[in-house]
């Protein structure tokens, strides 16, 4: 059963599961009028998401959920508090502690969890019969993208 492309979330249609803006997507070959990057493959989109996570965490020191989300999903495009609450819960961080608890994204498993949380928030749950369990991308695919950056020590 093929899914109607027009009904898929933007991030899936654009091979950009993190809904990255073009400015945060160094390998994007196409820039849409709405500012979101498009990639040739979903794997390229995952790799760019991993690069963005590394850049925000390791370079810009955005190490808490609120700090990360305030840069990743600014006000006006999203409701940051909803995104923060969702990701804190996804990562197992108590919402009261989120503003001062480091996400520890040097840990490859934590970075993969963040990727999966971003994808779930940005793209939602895939319609049946997409996959089992119902996820757009596997944990292994996220780990492959993270490894592809060459930034994390596996």
């Amino acid at each position: 059963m093929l899914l109607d492309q027009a009904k898929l979330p933007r991030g899936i249609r654009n091979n950009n599961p993190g809904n990255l803006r073009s400015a945060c997507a160094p390998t994007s070959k196409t820039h849409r009028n709405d500012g979101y990057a498009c990639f040739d493959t979903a794997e390229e989109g995952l790799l760019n998401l991993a690069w963005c996570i590394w850049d925000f965490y390791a370079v810009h020191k955005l190490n808490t959920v609120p700090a990360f989300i305030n840069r990743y999903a600014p006000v006006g495009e999203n409701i940051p508090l909803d995104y923060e609450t969702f990701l804190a819960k996804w990562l197992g961080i108590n919402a009261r502690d989120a503003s001062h608890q480091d996400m520890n994204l040097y840990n490859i498993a934590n970075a993969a969890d963040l990727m999966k949380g971003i994808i779930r928030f940005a793209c939602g749950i895939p319609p049946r019969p997409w996959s089992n369990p119902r996820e757009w991308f596997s944990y292994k695919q996220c780990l492959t993208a993270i490894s592809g950056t060459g930034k994390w020590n596996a």
Side-chain angles (χ1 to χ4, degrees), residues 46 112 116 135 137-147:
L46 289 170
K116 289 189 62 67
E135 57 186 15
F137 300 97
S138 70
Y139 189 76
K140 183 177 179 181
Q141 287 173 294
C142 292
L143 290 175
T144 299
I146 289 166
S147 295

Side-chain angles (χ1 to χ4, degrees), residues 9-12 15-21 24 36 39 45-57 62 64-74 77-78 80 82-92 103 105 109-126 135-139 142 146 152:
R10 172 183 41 228
I12 302 303
N15 289 320
N16 179 1
N19 279 335
L20 298 173
R21 291 295 192 163
C24 190
Y36 290 94
F39 300 102
L46 289 170
L47 179 65
N48 276 267
L49 177 55
W51 270 105
C52 182
I53 288 170
W54 177 267
D55 185 58
F56 284 11
Y57 186 78
L62 304 174
T64 65
V65 172
F68 185 92
I69 289 302
N70 283 336
R71 172 101 183 242
Y72 186 83
E77 297 176 19
N78 298 280
D82 289 351
Y83 214 150
E84 290 172 24
T85 302
F86 177 85
L87 281 181
K89 184 176 180 181
W90 184 274
L91 297 171
M103 293 183 287
L105 298 181
N110 293 351
D113 286 341
L114 179 62
M115 282 182 76
K116 289 189 62 67
I118 288 170
I119 294 166
R120 175 60 63 91
F121 191 87
C123 299
I125 299 171
E135 57 186 15
W136 294 107
F137 300 97
S138 70
Y139 189 76
C142 292
I146 289 166
W152 280 268

